[in-house]
Amino acid sequence: VQLQASGGGLVQAGGSLRLSCAASGRTLSTYAMGWFRQAPGKEREFVAAISRYGATTDYTDSVKGRFTISRVNAKNTVYLQMNNLNPEDTAVYYCAADTAFGTVAKMYDYWGQGTQVTVSS
C-alpha cells in the first residue's frame, strides 16, 4: 500500500488543522492506521492509532481531548483532526499502516512521506 499525507501547514497557537492520509494500492480496511510525528532533534513518537474499521482508537496523552483520528474506508482515507494546537505540536507528521493495531512505530510496515505542521506562538 502507498500512503500520501497532506494537510499540514503553519497555524497560530490555538488553531486547528486536519491532516489526511490517502491510501492506494490496497483496500484501506486491510490495515490499522497510525499517525506519528517527529520534531527536530527528537525521535519519532506515536500520536494516534485507529483499528481497521474504526472501533478502537488510541492517543498519546499529550493530544487526548485535542486530536481525533478517524477513517473513511470507502474513500481510502484516514484523518487526524487537530484542535487547540500549541507550539509543542510542531513536527513532521507521518501516517503509517499495518495489519495489526498498535502504538509502536517499528511495528508499522508502510509509511507516508510526512507533512509539516508548524504552530507559532
Side-chain angles (χ1 to χ4, degrees):
V1 64
Q2 292 79 45
L3 304 174
Q4 179 77 33
S6 62
L10 173 64
V11 63
Q12 289 187 333
S16 299
L17 284 174
R18 187 176 80 158
L19 305 184
S20 299
C21 178
S24 61
R26 291 199 67 178
T27 303
L28 188 66
S29 59
T30 302
Y31 302 99
M33 300 294 295
W35 284 97
F36 294 80
R37 65 188 180 187
Q38 188 166 17
K42 295 187 177 181
E43 294 187 354
R44 190 168 299 188
E45 66 169 350
F46 167 73
V47 176
I50 188 166
S51 58
R52 291 170 59 196
Y53 293 97
T56 303
T57 59
D58 198 4
Y59 300 89
T60 192
D61 286 346
S62 64
V63 308
K64 286 180 180 177
R66 301 188 299 123
F67 290 13
T68 302
I69 189 171
S70 62
R71 64 192 297 160
V72 179
N73 286 342
K75 294 185 177 181
N76 268 5
T77 304
V78 176
Y79 304 97
L80 185 68
Q81 177 67 44
M82 307 186 295
N83 298 327
N84 194 21
L85 285 159
N86 59 62
E88 291 71 37
D89 296 316
T90 295
V92 177
Y93 283 70
Y94 299 89
C95 59
D98 195 80
T99 53
F101 177 85
T103 64
V104 179
K106 65 181 180 181
M107 68 166 277
Y108 280 81
D109 286 337
Y110 305 98
W111 291 83
Q113 85 290 357
T115 184
Q116 176 71 47
V117 172
T118 303
V119 184
S120 63
S121 58

